[in-house]
Amino acid sequence: MFVKKAWYVAATVSEVGREPLARTVCGEPVVFFRTEDGTPRALVDRCIHRRLPLSKGKLEGDRLVCGYHGFTYDADGRCVAVPGQDRVPRRAAVRAYPVVEKFGWIWVWMGDPGNADAALLPAMPGLDEDGWMPFRDRLHVKAHYQLLVDNLIDLSHETYVHTSSIGNDAVAETPIESRREGNEVFVDRVMRDVPPPPFFAAAAGNDANIDRYQLVHFQPPCYVHVEVRAVPPGENDPNAGVRFFVLDCLTPETEATTNYFWAVSRNFRLADGEFGEWWHRIVCGIFEEDRAILEAQQASIETDTSGLRTVDVGIDGGTILARQVVDGLLAAENGAVP
C-alpha cells in the first residue's frame, strides 16, 4: 500500500506541543507530543489495554496517560504504570517512531527504526536558506497521494485549471523532457519568449514576454518540488526576474486521503509586505483549485466500473517514471521482483 522505509511529514512544528496530536500516517494512527525539554516524540495512537487512542489522554511530565483506564507510557512507548497494581505486564508497550524536526515540519519514520537516518530526508531548496522567504500551509485532500504526485509532476493542467493565475496556452503546448536518475525523476519544461500569465505579470510588475521555466524534481515516495523561473527572453541568470520554489510533501493518510504539506519560497520582493500578502492569497487559491480537481478525480475513480484502462500520452512521461520508482520500492519491501 505505502512505502514504509521513508520519512513522512506528519505536522508543522507549531502543531506539536504539550497537547497530544493525533495524525494518521500511511494508514497507521500516530500520536505526537513534546517532552518537557521540547523534544518531539511519536507513539502508536492506541492503548495496549482497550485500544483507546492515546491522543485522548494527557501528558504528566514526559509520560502519556491513557484517558480511559490510566495506563501510563513513557516517551519510548513503555507502559510504566497501571492503576491499582504494582506489576506492569511485560508486553505492555506501544511502538515508538523515530522523529526529526526539520524545515519547519515534524517528520516521522514509518519503517524499521534501525534504518531511520536523517540524511535520508528529501532535499528542500529554498527552506532554511538565507535570501529566501518561505510560507507553509497544509491541505487535507480527499484523494490518493499518487494523484497529487501526478498533478505536480504533470503541470500541463495549469492551462485549463489555473486560467486566471498561472495558466496559459504556452504550458500545454510546450513539450517536456523527463528523465530518471536512480530513484529520482526530473521533468523540465522551458517556454521561450512567451506571454506571461496574470500571476507572473503581477509578480514582475509588467506584461513583457518571458522565458518561463518549470523544473520538477520528484523524490520518493511522495515529494515533489518545482523550481519556477520567469526571466526576460534570452536571460541566463535565474535570479533576473521571478524565481520561487514550490515544495510539496504529500503524506498518505489512507488509500483515499492525503495530508498535503506545502511551502512556497521566493527570493524577490522580500521587503514588500503588501506584495507578500497578495502572493500568499493567490497561491492558496491555486492550491484550492487543485484540491477541487483531485477530489473530483478520486470520486470518479471510486465509482468507475467500466473496466477501461486509462490512456497515457507524452505529457505523462514523468508521472510514469515516478510511479515505476514507487512500485519498485514497494516490491522490494514486500520481497517481490519489481
Side-chain angles (χ1 to χ4, degrees), residues 248-265:
D248 307 279
C249 308
L250 311 163
T251 302
E253 183 182 57
T254 70
E255 285 284 346
T257 58
T258 302
N259 276 313
Y260 183 179
F261 296 89
W262 59 266
V264 175
S265 187

Side-chain angles (χ1 to χ4, degrees), residues 279-314:
W279 174 269
H280 193 169
R281 183 176 67 255
I282 297 299
V283 168
C284 287
I286 292 169
F287 281 107
E288 287 292 347
E289 290 174 338
D290 281 325
R291 174 158 64 176
I293 290 292
L294 291 160
E295 292 185 348
Q297 182 185 13
Q298 178 71 36
S300 176
I301 290 170
E302 291 176 352
T303 58
D304 183 6
T305 60
S306 68
L308 295 175
R309 295 179 60 185
T310 57
V311 175
D312 294 320
V313 294

Side-chain angles (χ1 to χ4, degrees), residues 15 35 65 67 85 105 161 165 178 191 198 242 261 278 284 338:
E15 285 183 295
T35 56
V65 182
Q85 64 184 60
W105 290 309
V161 177
S165 55
S178 56
M191 295 155 272
V242 173
F261 296 89
W278 173 85
C284 287

Side-chain angles (χ1 to χ4, degrees), residues 19 41 54 59 93 116 171 209-210 218 267 280 320 337:
E19 291 292 326
R41 306 303 291 261
L54 291 172
L59 284 168
V171 183
N209 276 14
I210 57 173
F218 166 77
N267 70 346
H280 193 169
I320 291 170
V337 177

Side-chain angles (χ1 to χ4, degrees), residues 148-166:
L148 280 70
V149 172
D150 292 348
N151 172 268
L152 290 157
I153 292 178
D154 175 16
L155 295 174
S156 63
H157 73 272
E158 290 181 355
T159 300
Y160 309 100
V161 177
H162 307 301
T163 54
S164 65
S165 55
I166 57 176

